[in-house]
Amino acid sequence: MLNADAIHMDWGTGKTAPVKKANRLKATRLGSAIVHDYWSDLFSAKERGKKVVWYNGTYIPPFFHAHDLAWVHGEAWSAYLAARHVEGDAQSAGESRGYDRELCSYARTHIGQALMDKKDLQDGKIDPQSAKGIAISQLPLPDMIVNAYPYCSSGQQWDEMIYRLFDKRVPIFHVNVPMLWGGRKDAAYLSGSEMDEKIGYVSRQLRAMTDFLVENTGRKYDWDRLSEVMAFIKKSAELRLEAMDMCTATPSPASFFDWIVSIAHVNFMPGTQRLVDFFEAMKAEIAERVANGEGAVPQEKYRFFFDGMMNWNKVGWLAEKFAANNACVVAGRYTHMSFWQEPQAIDLADPVAGMAHNYLACPNNSGAPYMIGEIDRLCEKFKIDGMVMHVSRTCRGMTNSQHLIVDSARRHGRAALFFEGDVADESFYKDELLNTRLEAMIESLDSKRIMAA
Amino acid sequence: MHFPVELAHAAGALPVIIQEAEDPITDGEGAVFSFYCGYNRSVADQALKGRLKFLDAIMFGDHCVQLLGTADIIRWHDPELPIVFEQPVSSLDMDWAFDETRSVYVKLKEDVEELLGARITDDALKASISLFNRNRQLIRKIYEMRVAGTTDLSARQMQHIIKSSMVMDRQEHTGLLERLVEAIEARPASRRQGMPVYLSGHLCQAPKLELLDMIESTGTVVVGDDLYHGYRFISTDIDEEDDPMTALANWYLRKNEKVPCPTRADGDADWDEFLVRDMRRTGAEGLIVLVAKFCEPHMYYFPEIQERCRREGIPMLKLETEHDSMPMEAFKTRLETFVEVARRRRRHEKPESKQERSHAQC
């Protein structure tokens, strides 16, 4: 049964909400400060004379950082609005222009905001002092647009729309990160001749992208600075992976939700010593928890793997729901298979090829058999009991192989549930569906354990 | 959608473009979520039902995220079926677009040669290119006849012509086309009466024939389209004089100049601009946009098309189509209203012709 204590009724709203039980890492507070400072710096970037790049897709900010640019990640901006629950009006603005609700909600939010809210703010229709007004008015407009999407065909159209919304006056650059199908005899996960060829292809484009940055700033590209930035990124990535590895302990000292709130850091935070300090602090706290037998979920009974893009409206909500049922979501595809997941590939003396290697390593970007093989390996490593499949309604990139992932998980004796939600449109999330399915999965796991005993 | 089937033909294979099936999706429901487009759900369904076993291999590798998933579903459930996968560049206006596309097609050629155990010579490839060009040219000629009003082929019949070219032996199909063109030229028909309209959309699968019939039954005549099972498919020839691999790469990049494809990133191409231009060329007075539900590339560009139509005063109707659950009666009401409104608007702009008045009274 679903833990009865896990649910209480909020009589004010009539909605049920889980009792908070997750034992979050204290180090995440350091991370929050980094994120806060990033946005603050970004909001004042133009005042400091910096040019601003809007980009979508993979984690290319080190190229911008080394060239002393400010950067806005479209997905991150939409997630930022969603996490603050101020995304609705931007989405409505997009819908009123004719964007279908089934379109990627990241894109709908970003385009809607870029298209309408800026204008409404300028026209005085939005109060600049409101929470929404403050968030919207602060975002600096782009001097350049860069698109660098692996796998998802929706991502490049999104930036094409932004390009058109600015009347094609903002220069745009595309980096194609092609899929690794893995059809050749020497194919394996992130290796083989296909991988080698694609690294060369993406590397050439990344170098061309630096020419684009030079052309639009009139400044020479500083390759030494890129190496310096990447030294911090590489160290941070190594620390993160080492800390993740410690979560093989039972109970797991950190959960998927700790890793999800530190996604921004490996995704688009500046590569500095501060980033390294943050991941060192995270690792130290996790090591301390392992030594003390302290878990991210105090009474861990079940260990789950989270698959799918995060539902940014519901991060805390979901963390507490699973914790309240003594379920620790230990690992996930989004957290454990993306974002500088292959730091050993980066040669700091000439980092571009290693960066291309990492961009190609987006888990969706590998053919399903290879990607699923890696998921199965992670599930084995972290002793996973069941799969929690977030079917993110408007994100086909993450939902594409989910039936196959479950097929493989069940062959390996793991339970699985699907629940529908979305990355930045909470209207697709149905809490009762998840409650019912979670209850059923937990009952099934209990029965299995009783039988085994 | 964008693979040069000439390569398979030159290797001695019969290239067949996989079509959406008519029957309801059953087995595929467990493989593809319901919020994916009908074409992908149907192709996965056909694969799971074993209906693609007649194929020796599938050439995949488009950029559409949904199609990438379908390719993996087929591989997962039928690992014995070879899938040749090479992904051409999707950003057509980047400096490296030509070189990359050419190298992808060279690799594709090697893949096909290895798979079929046959060498594709330049002469064989040129012969295939020439044959396929001839096929495209004949279909374009029929399109021109339709614009000129010398043939009364319906939208349903035009789809039959295109779809059969996608699945039949091209030599045989070209012979049939030659006879058809001769027959039309020998006995030119009078122009069918009704409001001339243009069909846009459906980037992968064919609109259902019943829908095309319904569109024309409400007092319209389809005079042009950019459908994949339409002009989009035959818009661009391949240079027969150039090195064939270079010609194929140029064909891939140039197609977007002829009929823009929203699955590609190309700052120089505007679908709305193309539509207005092509509607003028064909004499269309109304635009019917057929959006396959869950087709993201189309969803991105639709607002631009809608806004452009408003600015230009072009009557426009959007119909969202599905594999099943098509609300045909609701479509009929909307089509009739669209035609009535467009006619009324036109009456304000110019006097109605005698013939159309007669048709409207029917």
mmCIF file of all heavy atoms in Angstrom, chain A residues 95-110:
data_model
loop_
_atom_site.group_PDB
_atom_site.id
_atom_site.type_symbol
_atom_site.label_atom_id
_atom_site.label_comp_id
_atom_site.label_asym_id
_atom_site.label_seq_id
_atom_site.Cartn_x
_atom_site.Cartn_y
_atom_site.Cartn_z
ATOM 1 N N GLU A 95 0.573 30.178 -27.574
ATOM 2 C CA GLU A 95 -0.649 29.545 -28.092
ATOM 3 C C GLU A 95 -1.503 30.548 -28.844
ATOM 4 O O GLU A 95 -2.110 30.232 -29.865
ATOM 5 C CB GLU A 95 -1.456 28.931 -26.947
ATOM 6 C CG GLU A 95 -0.969 27.553 -26.550
ATOM 7 C CD GLU A 95 -1.843 26.904 -25.493
ATOM 8 O OE1 GLU A 95 -3.061 26.820 -25.713
ATOM 9 O OE2 GLU A 95 -1.299 26.506 -24.452
ATOM 10 N N SER A 96 -1.539 31.771 -28.329
ATOM 11 C CA SER A 96 -2.392 32.759 -28.993
ATOM 12 C C SER A 96 -1.837 33.122 -30.369
ATOM 13 O O SER A 96 -2.559 33.613 -31.227
ATOM 14 C CB SER A 96 -2.558 34.000 -28.126
ATOM 15 O OG SER A 96 -1.344 34.691 -28.053
ATOM 16 N N ARG A 97 -0.566 32.874 -30.592
ATOM 17 C CA ARG A 97 -0.025 33.104 -31.932
ATOM 18 C C ARG A 97 -0.291 31.910 -32.857
ATOM 19 O O ARG A 97 -0.074 31.991 -34.059
ATOM 20 C CB ARG A 97 1.475 33.376 -31.865
ATOM 21 C CG ARG A 97 1.981 34.003 -33.164
ATOM 22 C CD ARG A 97 3.464 33.869 -33.376
ATOM 23 N NE ARG A 97 3.839 34.406 -34.675
ATOM 24 C CZ ARG A 97 4.937 34.072 -35.327
ATOM 25 N NH1 ARG A 97 5.796 33.218 -34.789
ATOM 26 N NH2 ARG A 97 5.207 34.587 -36.494
ATOM 27 N N GLY A 98 -0.670 30.796 -32.248
ATOM 28 C CA GLY A 98 -0.991 29.634 -33.076
ATOM 29 C C GLY A 98 -0.092 28.436 -32.832
ATOM 30 O O GLY A 98 -0.196 27.437 -33.538
ATOM 31 N N TYR A 99 0.804 28.527 -31.847
ATOM 32 C CA TYR A 99 1.639 27.353 -31.550
ATOM 33 C C TYR A 99 0.791 26.317 -30.825
ATOM 34 O O TYR A 99 0.130 26.628 -29.839
ATOM 35 C CB TYR A 99 2.862 27.746 -30.714
ATOM 36 C CG TYR A 99 3.834 28.581 -31.507
ATOM 37 C CD1 TYR A 99 4.004 29.932 -31.244
ATOM 38 C CD2 TYR A 99 4.555 28.011 -32.556
ATOM 39 C CE1 TYR A 99 4.879 30.705 -31.994
ATOM 40 C CE2 TYR A 99 5.423 28.769 -33.314
ATOM 41 C CZ TYR A 99 5.584 30.117 -33.028
ATOM 42 O OH TYR A 99 6.442 30.868 -33.779
ATOM 43 N N ASP A 100 0.846 25.110 -31.339
ATOM 44 C CA ASP A 100 0.026 24.031 -30.820
ATOM 45 C C ASP A 100 0.517 23.610 -29.437
ATOM 46 O O ASP A 100 1.720 23.608 -29.169
ATOM 47 C CB ASP A 100 0.112 22.838 -31.794
ATOM 48 C CG ASP A 100 -0.970 21.825 -31.559
ATOM 49 O OD1 ASP A 100 -0.916 21.103 -30.531
ATOM 50 O OD2 ASP A 100 -1.884 21.748 -32.397
ATOM 51 N N ARG A 101 -0.410 23.209 -28.593
ATOM 52 C CA ARG A 101 -0.057 22.818 -27.232
ATOM 53 C C ARG A 101 0.775 21.532 -27.203
ATOM 54 O O ARG A 101 1.426 21.238 -26.210
ATOM 55 C CB ARG A 101 -1.349 22.626 -26.433
ATOM 56 C CG ARG A 101 -1.153 22.541 -24.955
ATOM 57 C CD ARG A 101 -2.475 22.716 -24.223
ATOM 58 N NE ARG A 101 -2.374 22.112 -22.917
ATOM 59 C CZ ARG A 101 -2.809 20.896 -22.620
ATOM 60 N NH1 ARG A 101 -3.401 20.169 -23.543
ATOM 61 N NH2 ARG A 101 -2.675 20.401 -21.406
ATOM 62 N N GLU A 102 0.753 20.796 -28.279
ATOM 63 C CA GLU A 102 1.550 19.571 -28.331
ATOM 64 C C GLU A 102 3.009 19.844 -28.696
ATOM 65 O O GLU A 102 3.832 18.934 -28.715
ATOM 66 C CB GLU A 102 0.961 18.592 -29.356
ATOM 67 C CG GLU A 102 -0.443 18.117 -29.028
ATOM 68 C CD GLU A 102 -0.475 17.175 -27.831
ATOM 69 O OE1 GLU A 102 0.590 16.674 -27.445
ATOM 70 O OE2 GLU A 102 -1.567 16.954 -27.274
ATOM 71 N N LEU A 103 3.308 21.065 -29.006
ATOM 72 C CA LEU A 103 4.690 21.436 -29.336
ATOM 73 C C LEU A 103 5.530 21.485 -28.057
ATOM 74 O O LEU A 103 5.016 21.823 -26.994
ATOM 75 C CB LEU A 103 4.661 22.809 -29.991
ATOM 76 C CG LEU A 103 5.912 23.349 -30.685
ATOM 77 C CD1 LEU A 103 6.351 22.434 -31.807
ATOM 78 C CD2 LEU A 103 5.621 24.742 -31.232
ATOM 79 N N CYS A 104 6.807 21.168 -28.179
ATOM 80 C CA CYS A 104 7.754 21.180 -27.051
ATOM 81 C C CYS A 104 7.465 22.363 -26.111
ATOM 82 O O CYS A 104 7.500 23.528 -26.528
ATOM 83 C CB CYS A 104 9.165 21.295 -27.613
ATOM 84 S SG CYS A 104 10.421 21.680 -26.375
ATOM 85 N N SER A 105 7.197 22.063 -24.859
ATOM 86 C CA SER A 105 6.791 23.143 -23.945
ATOM 87 C C SER A 105 7.967 24.052 -23.591
ATOM 88 O O SER A 105 7.760 25.214 -23.240
ATOM 89 C CB SER A 105 6.139 22.577 -22.682
ATOM 90 O OG SER A 105 7.009 21.722 -22.000
ATOM 91 N N TYR A 106 9.177 23.540 -23.673
ATOM 92 C CA TYR A 106 10.345 24.422 -23.530
ATOM 93 C C TYR A 106 10.278 25.519 -24.607
ATOM 94 O O TYR A 106 10.424 26.698 -24.334
ATOM 95 C CB TYR A 106 11.637 23.644 -23.773
ATOM 96 C CG TYR A 106 12.260 22.941 -22.595
ATOM 97 C CD1 TYR A 106 13.185 21.905 -22.803
ATOM 98 C CD2 TYR A 106 11.987 23.311 -21.283
ATOM 99 C CE1 TYR A 106 13.794 21.256 -21.746
ATOM 100 C CE2 TYR A 106 12.601 22.654 -20.225
ATOM 101 C CZ TYR A 106 13.505 21.629 -20.462
ATOM 102 O OH TYR A 106 14.119 20.989 -19.422
ATOM 103 N N ALA A 107 10.097 25.050 -25.830
ATOM 104 C CA ALA A 107 10.097 25.976 -26.969
ATOM 105 C C ALA A 107 8.915 26.935 -26.877
ATOM 106 O O ALA A 107 9.057 28.134 -27.097
ATOM 107 C CB ALA A 107 10.055 25.196 -28.284
ATOM 108 N N ARG A 108 7.746 26.376 -26.543
ATOM 109 C CA ARG A 108 6.549 27.222 -26.447
ATOM 110 C C ARG A 108 6.755 28.325 -25.413
ATOM 111 O O ARG A 108 6.340 29.464 -25.602
ATOM 112 C CB ARG A 108 5.342 26.381 -26.052
ATOM 113 C CG ARG A 108 4.578 25.824 -27.209
ATOM 114 C CD ARG A 108 3.275 25.220 -26.729
ATOM 115 N NE ARG A 108 3.467 24.007 -25.961
ATOM 116 C CZ ARG A 108 2.886 23.748 -24.793
ATOM 117 N NH1 ARG A 108 2.089 24.630 -24.231
ATOM 118 N NH2 ARG A 108 3.092 22.602 -24.181
ATOM 119 N N THR A 109 7.380 27.961 -24.306
ATOM 120 C CA THR A 109 7.593 28.938 -23.238
ATOM 121 C C THR A 109 8.576 30.005 -23.704
ATOM 122 O O THR A 109 8.341 31.202 -23.550
ATOM 123 C CB THR A 109 8.147 28.230 -21.982
ATOM 124 O OG1 THR A 109 7.300 27.138 -21.666
ATOM 125 C CG2 THR A 109 8.217 29.180 -20.803
ATOM 126 N N HIS A 110 9.677 29.544 -24.273
ATOM 127 C CA HIS A 110 10.734 30.465 -24.684
ATOM 128 C C HIS A 110 10.256 31.375 -25.817
ATOM 129 O O HIS A 110 10.425 32.604 -25.762
ATOM 130 C CB HIS A 110 11.947 29.639 -25.136
ATOM 131 C CG HIS A 110 13.180 30.440 -25.343
ATOM 132 N ND1 HIS A 110 14.152 30.076 -26.224
ATOM 133 C CD2 HIS A 110 13.605 31.591 -24.789
ATOM 134 C CE1 HIS A 110 15.125 30.969 -26.199
ATOM 135 N NE2 HIS A 110 14.821 31.890 -25.337
#
